[in-house]
Amino acid sequence: MKKLTLLMMALFVSLLAACSDDEDSAQENDQNAEQQQAQEELAKQQQEQQEQMEAQKVEEDKLVAVVNGEEIKGDAFNEALPQTFSTLMRSGQDTSDEELVKQQTIDMLVNQELVMQEIDKQEIEAPEEQVDQSLEQYKSQFEDDEQYQASLEENGNTEEGLRQSLAQEVKMQVYLQNEISEPEVTDDEAKEYYDQLASQQEDIQDYEEVKDKIKELLVQQKQNEEISELLAQLKENSEVETKI
């Protein structure tokens, strides 16, 4: 309904271009009202999601799960909640489903712990140059060093603490690169995928224009399948207890 209203308003503006300034001002006010309403609805949605997230939090020292004797506490669970909400929203799933949110968050934490334990077993190190690169990439999202430092302070973090977190991420990347292959995607697979898309969409680019992107997507899908199988195997060979 809103899209239709905005379209009609745009049409009226073009038809009434020769009218008085007062009428033009009224049209502009209507458009501003539409934009304000959209912003208010977005703010309301964000507020609801924030309330849902707050309701899902647990006590920081509460035992959430145990992975091969290593305890995962409530503070880690609470820290992971925003990522769970973001993932669910991107996939169009219901963030008000408390059981779904809890299970997704626990699964993420357990998988992370399983991988980190495997990294420790294999004594994988994070190359300093990769950590430096990750840190610079993180800093680049801020306008200046003052804004960067303010962000660290707001999150109760330090640059050393941030470096440690980034080093953990780099270790995970190294581990997955060692464990996950670079799968091959044939032209036939890419064409089959394109044909499936073309059967569902009328307006689609020519195959040759999107072939490389389709291959990249299929490579990612195959790698995700390998990662899922790897995590399932790690879990099968481990002792995992959920406590909430």
Side-chain angles (χ1 to χ4, degrees):
M1 181 62 71
K2 283 183 185 173
K3 287 184 179 179
L4 178 60
T5 303
L6 288 171
L7 186 61
M8 290 173 67
M9 286 169 59
L11 177 60
F12 288 148
V13 168
S14 64
L15 290 175
L16 302 176
C19 292
S20 69
D21 290 342
D22 287 344
E23 288 174 336
D24 287 343
S25 178
Q27 290 288 344
E28 184 178 347
N29 288 339
D30 286 344
Q31 286 181 327
N32 290 338
E34 284 286 340
Q35 292 174 352
Q36 184 177 352
Q37 185 179 356
Q39 290 172 350
E40 288 174 355
E41 288 182 0
L42 178 61
K44 182 180 178 183
Q45 184 182 20
Q46 290 174 337
Q47 178 63 29
E48 288 175 353
Q49 288 166 353
Q50 185 63 37
E51 290 173 359
Q52 291 168 2
M53 202 183 305
E54 290 297 323
Q56 284 280 78
K57 286 186 176 181
V58 299
E59 294 177 10
E60 291 194 354
D61 60 350
K62 185 178 182 66
L63 187 59
V64 171
V66 182
V67 182
N68 294 324
E70 290 295 325
E71 296 181 343
I72 299 174
K73 296 288 187 70
D75 56 348
F77 181 89
N78 296 340
E79 242 180 75
L81 276 174
Q83 188 172 343
T84 300
F85 270 73
S86 177
T87 301
L88 291 175
M89 284 187 287
R90 283 199 305 270
S91 59
Q93 297 185 72
D94 185 7
T95 56
S96 66
D97 186 337
E98 294 188 2
E99 189 60 35
L100 175 64
V101 171
K102 180 178 76 172
Q103 193 57 53
Q104 289 266 10
T105 307
I106 291 174
D107 286 346
M108 179 171 59
L109 290 169
V110 166
N111 288 337
Q112 181 176 299
E113 180 61 31
L114 286 169
V115 170
M116 292 312 302
Q117 289 181 11
E118 196 62 25
I119 286 170
D120 288 341
K121 283 182 189 175
Q122 296 183 22
E123 299 182 344
I124 293 173
E125 297 295 331
E128 282 298 316
E129 61 271 17
Q130 284 186 242
V131 179
D132 291 339
Q133 186 178 0
S134 295
L135 181 60
E136 289 307 311
Q137 188 175 358
Y138 179 84
K139 285 182 175 180
S140 68
Q141 67 183 302
F142 301 100
E143 292 182 2
D144 50 38
D145 187 65
E146 185 178 346
Q147 192 181 83
Y148 162 67
Q149 295 294 341
S151 175
L152 288 178
E153 187 175 345
E154 183 180 344
N155 291 289
N157 204 353
T158 63
E159 183 160 284
E160 182 56 35
L162 177 59
R163 282 188 66 88
Q164 290 176 5
S165 297
L166 293 173
Q168 295 287 69
E169 290 182 11
V170 170
K171 287 180 183 180
M172 284 189 179
Q173 291 169 8
V174 173
Y175 170 72
L176 290 175
Q177 285 170 359
N178 292 342
E179 299 293 329
I180 305 301
S181 65
E182 182 70 31
E184 180 184 352
V185 175
T186 66
D187 288 340
D188 288 343
E189 287 176 308
K191 186 63 167 64
E192 182 181 354
Y193 186 86
Y194 174 84
D195 290 341
Q196 288 178 350
L197 289 178
S199 68
Q200 299 166 7
Q201 303 176 22
E202 293 182 4
D203 185 18
I204 187 171
Q205 292 176 276
D206 291 337
Y207 171 65
E208 290 300 327
E209 294 177 0
V210 296
K211 180 174 70 173
D212 291 342
K213 289 183 179 179
I214 288 176
K215 285 191 172 185
E216 288 176 12
L217 175 64
L218 293 178
V219 165
Q220 187 63 58
Q221 286 182 354
K222 288 187 176 185
Q223 287 180 326
N224 286 343
E225 289 172 6
E226 284 192 51
I227 291 172
S228 295
E229 290 173 4
L230 173 63
L231 291 172
Q233 186 177 357
L234 289 177
K235 191 174 288 187
E236 186 179 345
N237 297 329
S238 300
E239 215 175 294
V240 178
E241 298 176 82
T242 300
K243 296 296 185 179
I244 61 172

